[in-house]
Amino acid sequence: QVQLVQSGAEVKEPGASVKVSCKASGDFFTSYAMHWVRQAPGQRLEWMGWINAGNGNTKYSQRFQGRVTITRDTSASTVYMELSSLRSEDTAVYYCARFGPHYYFDYWGQGTLVTVSS
Amino acid sequence: NFMLTQPHSVSESPGRTVTISCTGSSGSIASNYVQWYQQRPGSVPITVIYEDNQRPSGVPDRFSGSIDRSSNSASLTISGLKTEDEAAYYCQSYDSSNHERVFGGGTKLTVL
């Protein structure tokens, strides 16, 4: 049974960084890519980037290039998404999602609300 | 960059059929697979269509997907509408020019 469990809600001040974790259960971890998608309140889903959990290669959205870093810890079956230089517009729910064998997001984490406020 | 455009909202009555469009900004939408995700308020998205027209197990056959090359668009059709289908629906594909995943703006479906 595949499950993706994310870390809890965060409140950050503008200019700070946030690191969200996503722990995977099941024996698939290094076989698939893991993506991060965010959704600001009342807004669309927005793709941020992904990591090949097997070799650690990453690809980031141009929109977040330079501010986002995705890493993984294979021993803990966990991927991380760190977003720096936070601003109020980064207030959103952040999701991790597995990119499955049929090339779509087949499993999602429960979401982590990040609030950026002074 | 490649963009996907969806209508902001649609509404239809229970039992009827509704079609939601997703139009590609450039190139051919048929060049890369299109997926459709359903997101009920306060919930995580779930896939209802992948690879243009395939349904994951557990998704009823009332949901179907298609590609229209002439209009460079993808469509999600839901027949026999139920109140539980009320949700936001997002199309998603791939931008080959920059290797990024792309979501449409989402369509709010109201079943009334």
Side-chain angles (χ1 to χ4, degrees):
Chain A
Q1 179 75 350
V2 176
Q3 267 195 307
L4 303 177
V5 179
Q6 298 183 220
S7 49
E10 302 261 13
V11 179
K12 296 291 183 181
E13 293 192 347
S17 297
V18 68
K19 191 170 186 177
V20 181
S21 67
C22 169
K23 183 172 176 57
S25 63
D27 292 332
F28 70 90
F29 184 74
T30 56
S31 301
Y32 296 103
M34 296 294 289
H35 292 241
W36 287 88
V37 176
R38 79 175 189 180
Q39 187 172 38
Q43 301 300 310
R44 69 167 67 192
L45 298 169
E46 186 174 26
W47 180 79
M48 300 181 70
W50 68 278
I51 186 166
N52 180 321
N55 62 21
N57 287 347
T58 56
K59 165 67 178 173
Y60 303 126
S61 166
Q62 291 171 358
R63 178 165 152 73
F64 299 100
Q65 195 76 38
R67 286 209 302 144
V68 67
T69 304
I70 300 174
T71 56
R72 97 286 193 217
D73 179 347
T74 55
S75 66
S77 297
T78 300
V79 294
Y80 303 90
M81 185 285 300
E82 184 170 21
L83 188 62
S84 62
S85 302
L86 290 169
R87 31 204 188 236
S88 58
E89 309 90 87
D90 294 317
T91 294
V93 175
Y94 290 77
Y95 294 101
C96 61
R98 189 184 86 159
F99 201 59
H102 292 286
Y103 305 106
Y104 68 94
F105 303 122
D106 58 356
Y107 290 95
W108 296 67
Q110 82 275 19
T112 297
L113 175 62
V114 175
T115 302
V116 183
S117 174
S118 55
Chain B
N1 291 346
F2 183 65
M3 294 172 55
L4 297 170
T5 300
Q6 300 180 234
H8 182 70
S9 62
V10 296
S11 62
E12 190 50 269
S13 303
R16 302 292 295 268
T17 296
V18 70
T19 297
I20 299 172
S21 62
C22 170
T23 303
S25 61
S26 61
S28 172
I29 199 167
S31 298
N32 294 288
Y33 285 129
V34 175
Q35 281 64 237
W36 290 91
Y37 299 89
Q38 176 195 69
Q39 187 180 34
R40 296 190 176 100
S43 297
V44 176
I46 63 169
T47 309
V48 293
I49 294 289
Y50 69 95
E51 291 181 356
D52 297 341
N53 54 22
Q54 302 298 303
R55 280 188 313 278
S57 61
V59 174
D61 60 5
R62 301 185 296 106
F63 290 81
S64 62
S66 63
I67 299 291
D68 181 353
R69 288 174 170 77
S70 65
S71 60
N72 205 39
S73 65
S75 293
L76 171 68
T77 298
I78 311 171
S79 60
L81 276 169
K82 301 184 177 184
T83 54
E84 68 203 47
D85 298 330
E86 191 162 286
Y89 291 85
Y90 294 90
C91 59
Q92 178 265 312
S93 189
Y94 179 70
D95 186 345
S96 302
S97 69
N98 59 14
H99 307 288
E100 297 189 8
R101 305 290 160 180
V102 179
F103 285 96
T107 298
K108 174 74 170 70
L109 169 63
T110 302
V111 181
L112 39 64

